[in-house]
Amino acid sequence: MTDSITLDPITIDSITSFSRPSIECSILRLDKLHPIVSGNKWFKLRYYIEEAIAHKASTIASFGGPYSNHLVALAYAAKQNNLKSIGYVRASKEDTLTPSLQEALAYGMHLEFIGRTNFQEIKNEILKTNQHRSINLSNTNNTDYKKGAIYFIDEGGYGLMGAKGAATILNTQTKDYNTKDYTTIIAAVGTGTMLAGLINAAEAHQHIIGIPVLKNENTIEDEIKSLLINKNTPFSLLHSYHLGGYAKTNPALFTFMNQLWTLEKIPTDIVYTGKLLLAVDSLLKENYFKEESKILVIHSGGLQGNRSLPLGTLLY
C-alpha cells in the first residue's frame, strides 16, 4: 500500500481566526496526503490492503453510500495494488449515478446496488458469511470477479485493522508534523474507526474529543470502545453538532465553510469536516476549552459529499 501510492507531505497549520490569546488552535492537514486516497482513508485502508494481499485475495470489497469517500479511495487503492474491487452501494440501480460512483467505476470498481431500506442488514449478512471467500454477484457477467477470494472491509474501514491504521496518524511524526505537544485532539466521527485509533495512540496528557456527524448517540460510544486497546481510556463525544443527521445541512453551515475558506484557505466538506470545524468554532466561543489549551483539529480529508451540492454553493 505504501509503495504503490505516492503520498504528499502532511503539515500542521495554524487556524489563525480560531486562536485566542491563551489558546492555540491548529489543524492536521491529512487532506494534503493524496488527492484521491484522501486523509484518513489511506491510514484506515493501509493494513486491510496489506492483509488482503497476504491472503492472496484477487478482489477487495466494501460498502458505502452514493457519495462515499471510502469507496472512491478503495477503488483507486485496489487498482494501484493490482486488485479488483467491488462496492456495495446504499442506493438502487435505478438511481442516477453520482460523480463519486462514476469515479469509482473509472478506477475499475464493480458496483452492486443493494438499496437503502435494508442496507445494514444486508451488509452485516454479507460480512458474516463471506469473509475471505468467493461469492456470486447478481448484476455482472464478468467472470473475473467470480474467481478467487474476495477480501471484505466494513463500511468506512470500521474494524480493528482500520483503527490500527488510524493510530498511525499520531504515530507518524516529521519536522512539519508533530502531534505530541497538543493537549486536545478533536475529530469528526462517522463509524468511529479513526477516533478509536487516535484514542489508542494518544499520549497520557492528551484528551480526545469526537464530533459525531450522525444521530447515533445510542450506539457510537460502544462501537468506538470495541476498537480500543484499553477499554477504560477516557474520551468525549459531543453530540450537538450533527445538524439533524448524516449529510444534513443548513445555510449557516455553507456560510461558515465559505468564510473558513476565505480566511484560512481550508477546504471542508458538508458531511464531516465542515461540521467539525463549525463545532470547534462554537466551542471556542462558548469558552469550552481550558486556558492554555493547545488544540489539534484533525482534517480527515474527503470532499466527495460536496458533489451533491448545486454548483456555486461553495467557493472552492
Side-chain angles (χ1 to χ4, degrees):
M1 175 79 168
T2 305
D3 296 336
S4 63
I5 297 175
T6 301
L7 305 177
D8 294 323
I10 298 168
T11 61
I12 294 178
D13 301 339
S14 174
I15 311 179
T16 305
S17 60
F18 279 24
S19 295
R20 304 289 188 267
S22 60
I23 294 177
E24 177 185 325
C25 191
S26 301
I27 185 165
L28 180 61
R29 295 293 302 274
L30 298 184
D31 58 309
K32 293 182 175 182
L33 185 67
H34 192 273
I36 301 163
V37 191
S38 178
N40 68 359
K41 311 302 176 290
W42 182 85
F43 288 95
K44 290 193 292 182
L45 285 172
R46 60 187 304 188
Y47 293 123
Y48 284 122
I49 291 181
E50 284 184 12
E51 187 174 73
I53 293 170
H55 279 92
K56 301 188 184 309
S58 65
T59 303
I60 194 162
S62 194
F63 309 81
Y67 290 96
S68 171
N69 293 294
H70 171 68
L71 288 184
V72 174
L74 178 63
Y76 181 88
K79 181 179 180 181
Q80 294 301 111
N81 284 276
N82 298 312
L83 292 165
K84 300 178 183 68
S85 62
I86 302 169
Y88 291 85
V89 186
R90 190 190 296 104
S92 67
K93 60 183 178 181
E94 291 80 19
D95 293 339
T96 301
L97 208 60
T98 65
S100 302
L101 294 180
Q102 290 176 34
E103 188 175 350
L105 281 172
Y107 298 134
M109 176 172 274
H110 170 74
L111 301 179
E112 286 274 307
F113 297 92
I114 56 179
R116 294 177 179 82
T117 307
N118 299 309
F119 179 82
Q120 289 297 327
E121 291 83 355
I122 295 170
K123 182 196 79 171
N124 291 337
E125 185 61 25
I126 291 171
L127 287 171
K128 179 181 177 181
T129 59
N130 292 299
Q131 188 73 4
H132 300 166
R133 289 176 13 200
S134 298
I135 62 170
N136 291 320
L137 301 178
S138 59
N139 298 323
T140 182
N141 295 318
N142 188 340
T143 57
D144 287 345
Y145 281 97
K146 299 180 181 180
K147 297 176 182 177
I150 299 176
Y151 182 93
F152 284 85
I153 302 173
D154 202 345
E155 187 174 8
Y158 180 79
L160 293 172
M161 208 64 86
K164 177 184 175 183
T168 62
I169 292 171
L170 297 188
N171 289 337
T172 303
Q173 311 294 331
T174 71
K175 65 182 179 66
D176 296 319
Y177 171 14
N178 191 321
T179 63
K180 295 186 182 301
D181 292 336
Y182 291 89
T183 61
T184 305
I185 297 173
I186 185 164
V189 176
T191 64
T193 308
M194 179 177 70
L195 200 79
L198 297 175
I199 296 164
N200 286 336
E203 301 288 320
H205 69 277
Q206 294 177 319
H207 180 54
I208 308 297
I209 299 174
I211 305 296
V213 300
L214 293 86
K215 290 176 65 175
N216 58 356
E217 59 264 31
N218 295 325
T219 61
I220 189 62
E221 185 170 352
D222 288 339
E223 290 166 1
I224 292 169
K225 285 182 175 179
S226 71
L227 302 179
L228 298 184
I229 295 170
N230 181 350
K231 307 300 182 187
N232 296 317
T233 303
F235 63 95
S236 300
L237 295 176
L238 305 181
H239 291 282
S240 301
Y241 302 97
H242 52 67
L243 302 184
Y246 185 77
K248 299 294 184 182
T249 62
N250 60 33
L253 177 63
F254 302 144
T255 298
F256 171 79
M257 292 167 66
N258 282 329
Q259 289 175 341
L260 186 67
W261 173 255
T262 300
L263 290 171
E264 306 285 354
K265 290 299 181 283
I266 299 173
T268 54
D269 77 296
I270 61 171
V271 180
Y272 299 102
T273 51
K275 293 180 181 181
L276 168 66
L277 271 296
L278 181 60
V280 175
D281 184 52
S282 298
L283 292 168
L284 285 163
K285 290 174 179 175
E286 295 163 8
N287 298 314
Y288 174 87
F289 301 104
K290 296 178 181 178
E291 296 291 310
E292 308 304 324
S293 290
K294 290 188 66 176
I295 302 165
L296 183 65
V297 181
I298 307 296
H299 193 310
S300 53
L303 304 180
Q304 294 290 341
N306 292 349
R307 289 174 139 180
S308 67
L309 299 175
L311 194 64
T313 303
L314 299 176
L315 299 177
Y316 48 92

